[in-house]
Structure formats: C-alpha cells, structure tokens
C-alpha cells in the first residue's frame, strides 16, 4: 500500500480523515501526478530520469498542502479556531499583532507570494488568544489567492468571529510572478490594507494613525 499523501496522513493522525477521504485524496494525487508528468514532458524533460521520477507525486502533495485552505469552509474553520480561545476581558483599546509571516500562491500564475500581515482589533468585551490571529491568516493564505482579496478576507473574518468593534489589516508581500517573470523586478513590495467598523471613515482617523504607527507607517489607504 502506497503511503498516504502528506495532508491526509496529518489529518488521519489527528483523527480527522476517514478511509473514504483518504481514498479520494490518493485518487486526487494520482490524477495530479499524471498532469505534472505531462508538464515535464512538455518542458522537454524525461520524467523517468532519477531526479524527476518522484517529482509528479511531490508536486501534487505540495500543491495540495499549499492550497488546503481552499477545500474547507473558511467561516466554520475560523469560528472553530476562535471559539476555543475567547476570553471575557474589559480591555477596550486596540490589540495589535504585527509581522505575521505567510506564504500563498498567486491564482494567476500559481507562483508564490509571501510576506507579513499586521492585524489589529478593538475588542467588544472579549479578547482572543493571539496565536489564533496567525491561524486565521493561514486559513485564507493557504489557497489560490490575490493579495487584495486575502486582505479583505482576513479583516472580515476577524471582525465577524471576534465580534470586534473594528479590525485593521495591512498585508505586505513580494510576488514571484513579478520577480521571476514578466517585468522581473526583484525587491518590489505590494502593500494592501483593509479597515472595518470603528477604523473606517473620518471617525476612525485617529485609530488608523495609531495602527499605522504601530506597524511602521505602512498601508495608509482607507479601503
């Protein structure tokens, strides 16, 4: 029996994958592997040579791992993550977690983009365990994405799951589709921002200024 794909093996070890799910994942890996083999042949490579013989399966498993967030109910996943770590607390000033690293895949070229996410929220009587904000980022980053949508999804998910009075998000990223091909500009960084609730509009100007000062002045657009 062939070893289970990495994503299924991890879920199975945690008690999260059924025999049927494992069988479906094996079939998916086999189908994807055949497609990768075809790509290698189209590139003029010999997929049977020593260095490439296992590449189709490796690529299939890697893509499944990097896009696993796209095959779950994101709202339910975020709700489960957050509900386990919400605490009653009278703190009503902004809470900011900066420099949350992430990796994602651009949906246009399926090349990586990566960088940092900065998240702040104003509690409404409850606070969340800080690590959960990083996990929320992972839910949306681990799928085929564009940075603009990723930024909005993180902000909206945090606002709803935390019941926050407002959420601010800034994403800074380097895109390999811009660095490795096309204009081939290394070192260019794309910055996007999103604000909800008390962070929006003229009334949120002071909160936005505080947030931007905390994250180093980045992301000045009020989206």
């Amino acid at each position: 029996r062939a070893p289970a794909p990495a994503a299924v093996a991890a879920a199975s070890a945690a008690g999260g994958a059924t025999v049927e799910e494992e069988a479906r994942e094996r079939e998916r890996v086999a189908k994807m592997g055949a497609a990768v083999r075809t790509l290698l042949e189209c590139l003029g490579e010999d997929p049977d040579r020593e260095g490439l013989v296992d590449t189709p399966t490796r690529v299939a498993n890697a893509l499944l791992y990097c896009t696993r967030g796209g095959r779950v109910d994101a709202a339910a996943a975020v709700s489960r993550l957050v509900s386990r770590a919400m605490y009653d607390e009278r703190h009503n000033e902004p809470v900011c977690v900066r420099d949350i690293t992430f990796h994602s895949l651009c949906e246009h070229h399926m090349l990586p983009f990566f960088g940092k996410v900065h998240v702040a929220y104003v509690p409404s009587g409850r606070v969340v365990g800080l690590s959960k904000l990083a996990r929320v980022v992972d839910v949306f980053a681990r799928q085929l994405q564009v940075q603009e949508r990723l930024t909005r999804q993180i902000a909206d998910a945090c606002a709803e799951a935390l019941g926050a009075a407002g959420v601010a998000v800034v994403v800074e990223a380097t895109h390999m589709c811009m660095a490795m091909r096309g204009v081939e500009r290394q070192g260019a960084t794309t910055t996007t921002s999103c604000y909800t609730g008390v962070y929006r509009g003229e009334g949120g100007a002071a909160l936005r200024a505080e947030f931007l000062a905390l994250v180093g002045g980045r992301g000045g657009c009020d989206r």
Side-chain angles (χ1 to χ4, degrees):
R1 183 184 179 187
V8 170
S12 184
T18 65
V19 173
E20 292 79 11
E21 288 170 337
E22 185 174 326
R24 283 197 298 270
E25 197 75 354
R26 290 178 190 280
E27 182 179 352
R28 191 187 315 229
V29 169
K31 187 175 182 180
M32 292 174 67
V36 174
R37 182 181 175 89
T38 299
L39 285 173
L40 290 171
E41 291 172 345
C42 291
L43 291 172
E45 291 284 356
D46 174 10
D48 293 317
R49 70 176 173 85
E50 183 180 21
L52 294 177
V53 67
D54 293 322
T55 295
T57 299
R58 291 192 186 108
V59 171
N61 277 316
L63 285 173
L64 287 170
Y65 182 83
C66 291
T67 60
R68 65 191 186 278
R71 293 184 295 282
V72 301
D73 182 330
V78 170
S79 178
R80 283 194 303 271
L81 283 170
V82 169
S83 64
R84 300 170 185 168
M86 291 292 293
Y87 309 101
D88 293 331
E89 185 60 55
R90 293 171 62 184
H91 184 82
N92 59 3
E93 298 295 330
V95 177
C96 179
V97 179
R98 54 173 289 175
D99 297 330
I100 300 170
T101 57
F102 80 95
H103 297 79
S104 191
L105 288 176
C106 165
E107 67 180 30
H108 300 144
H109 301 95
M110 290 182 68
L111 289 172
F113 69 97
F114 54 89
K116 296 179 179 179
V117 179
H118 315 292
V119 181
Y121 72 98
V122 177
S124 292
R126 306 193 81 196
V127 298
V128 68
L130 299 179
S131 68
K132 303 308 177 188
L133 296 177
R135 294 189 183 277
V136 170
V137 170
D138 283 345
V139 169
F140 296 103
R142 294 299 191 181
Q143 51 187 279
L144 297 181
Q145 271 289 10
V146 295
Q147 184 174 332
E148 296 87 345
R149 183 170 67 236
L150 173 64
T151 308
R152 168 62 66 181
Q153 286 177 327
I154 294 169
D156 288 345
C158 287
E160 181 172 350
L162 304 182
V167 173
V169 175
V170 164
V171 178
E172 302 173 276
T174 298
H175 291 250
M176 289 296 99
C177 59
M178 185 176 177
M180 295 175 61
R181 54 160 299 284
V183 295
E184 296 186 72
R185 293 296 186 269
Q186 290 77 35
T189 301
T190 301
T191 303
T192 49
S193 61
C194 183
Y195 302 98
T196 75
V198 295
Y199 280 97
R200 291 186 62 81
E202 292 184 8
L207 282 171
R208 291 197 303 276
E210 178 184 2
F211 171 62
L212 295 176
L214 289 171
V215 302
R218 295 158 283 202
C221 297
D222 182 10
R223 295 181 64 247

